[in-house]
Amino acid sequence: MKDFPIVYLNSNDGSGLLAFGEGPVMKANVGSALKELYDFTQVHKGKYMFGYLGYDIKNEIEDLKSENNDYLDFPDLFFYVPKYVVELKSENLMFLSGDRDTEALDFVVDFLEKEIMAQYPKQEIHFKSRISKEEYIEKIINLKEHIQQGDIYEVTFCQEFYAENVDLIDPMGEYFKMNNVTRAPFSSYIQFEGNYILCGSPERFLQKTGDDLVSQPIKGTSKRGADQEEDVRLRDLLTKDPKEKAENVMIVDLVRNDLSKVAKKGSVNVRELFGIYSFETVHQLISTIHADQKEGTTIVELLKALFPMGSMTGAPKISAMELIEEFESFKRGVYSGAIGYIKPNGDFDFNVVIRSLLYSKANRYLSCPVGGAITINSNPEMEYEECITKVDAIMKALNNRGK
C-alpha cells in the first residue's frame, strides 16, 4: 500500500466508502484545532473530507485539561481531502471523487483482494492491563462515592489494555480480521504517517442530513449467548435490566440537552428509546434522538454543542469529564472521539471511537482502551467483567483465535 493516507468506513451491510490518494491533509492539536478545522472545511468546501476528532478536543470546548500519559502521540485532530473516494456496494464500484483511472482501479482491486482473501500473517500479541483488577474495583468504589455525594449521576470510566515494543506486521490485515469478528455498523480504518486506527464501533455520534440531526447513544451491554436459547435469555435480560436502562435514559437526556443548543425550538425528539440491537459479539441498548438544526449552524458549532459523545463521558458532562481525568490512567486521545466524513454538500456522519485498536509505528505501541458507564447501582465486579466482554472479541481476532 502507498504512503498516502487511507480511510475506510465500512457499514458491514454490503457497503462502504474507501478514500485514498494524494490530497490536502490537516493535523492539529488542542489550542486552535477547531478553528483550523473550520478554516480547512471552508478552503475545501464542495469536496469530500475524511478524518477524526480526538477526545481531548473537549479542552477547547470547556475549561478542561488532559495531563495523563500519552503513549501514542497521535494528533488531536486529523482531516484529509482524498484524491479518490470510492463507494463499495454489493461488489460494485462507484467513484464519488476522482477519475476511474488505472492508478485508482489497481489500488481498489488490491484492497478488495486483501479484504476478501483474509490471508494475514499470524502474530501473537500479548496485552497488559494499565491497572490491575483490584485497582479498577477501588476506582469504581471511589467514583460511586462521588455519585453518592451528588457530584455526578453517571460516569464512563475507561481502562487501557496495551502492548509495547510491537512491530505490527500488517495493520490493515489486523483490521480486516477484527472486522470479520465484530461486524459493526460504524467500523472504520485509518492510516497516515505511521498512525493506525482499527475501529469496530457500533455507535453513531452524529449524522447531519440537510437540517436533520441524528445521534444514537449506546448504553447497556450484554454478551452473546453460547447457543440460541442462552442468547435469547441474555437479550431479554438486557431489555429488562433497570440499571442498564437507567444508564441509557440519563445519556439520552444529556444528548437531548446538547442538541437543544443547536436545534430549532421544539424539534428535539426521541424516535426510539431502549432499542435492542444484536451484533456479532454483544447485544446493545441504543436510543435514537432527532433534531432540526438552526439555520446557518456550522459543523464547528455543532461539535461545540455535542462533542464528545455523552455516552463516553457521563452526566453532568463537565463534572464527569473532570473525574475521568482524575481517575483514568492514560490519555484517551482518539479513543472516545469520532471518526467520519463530510460530504461536498456539508452533510456528515461520525461514529464514536470505541471497540478499537490504536497503533503507533514510531512508538511501537498498541493500545486497546475499553470502558463502561458507572452509576450508583453499578457492581464493580460486573463492570469489570463487562470490560472484559468488550475487549475479548478484539483480542481473539488479533490473535487468530476466532469468535
Side-chain angles (χ1 to χ4, degrees), residues 8 10 171-179 187-189 198-199:
Y8 182 42
N10 185 4
M172 184 181 290
E174 299 297 351
Y175 163 75
F176 289 140
K177 283 198 302 187
M178 185 176 81
N179 187 59
S187 174
S188 53
Y189 172 82
L198 292 60
C199 178

Side-chain angles (χ1 to χ4, degrees), residues 216 283 403:
Q216 294 181 289
H283 300 297
K403 294 184 181 180

Side-chain angles (χ1 to χ4, degrees), residues 316-374:
K317 200 170 188 178
I318 296 174
S319 297
M321 289 190 287
E322 289 172 340
L323 287 171
I324 286 168
E325 175 66 17
E326 178 182 346
F327 281 86
E328 289 185 355
S329 56
F330 69 106
K331 182 180 178 181
R332 287 192 182 183
V334 178
Y335 178 72
S336 69
I339 292 171
Y341 75 112
I342 305 169
K343 295 182 178 180
N345 66 358
D347 289 348
F348 60 78
D349 203 358
F350 286 89
N351 74 3
V352 180
V353 183
I354 52 176
R355 321 286 162 83
S356 299
L357 288 166
L358 309 168
Y359 176 61
S360 167
K361 184 176 181 179
N363 294 355
R364 303 176 67 212
Y365 188 87
L366 184 62
S367 175
C368 183
V370 65
I374 309 305

Side-chain angles (χ1 to χ4, degrees), residues 136 156-159 219 312 335 369-373 383 386-387 390:
Y136 176 90
T156 298
F157 176 72
C158 300
Q159 59 174 315
K219 270 291 166 266
M312 295 307 296
Y335 178 72
V370 65
E383 293 294 342
E386 181 178 315
C387 287
K390 290 173 179 176

Side-chain angles (χ1 to χ4, degrees), residues 303-314:
L303 292 171
K304 285 182 175 179
L306 285 116
F307 190 83
M309 180 58 140
S311 61
M312 295 307 296
T313 61

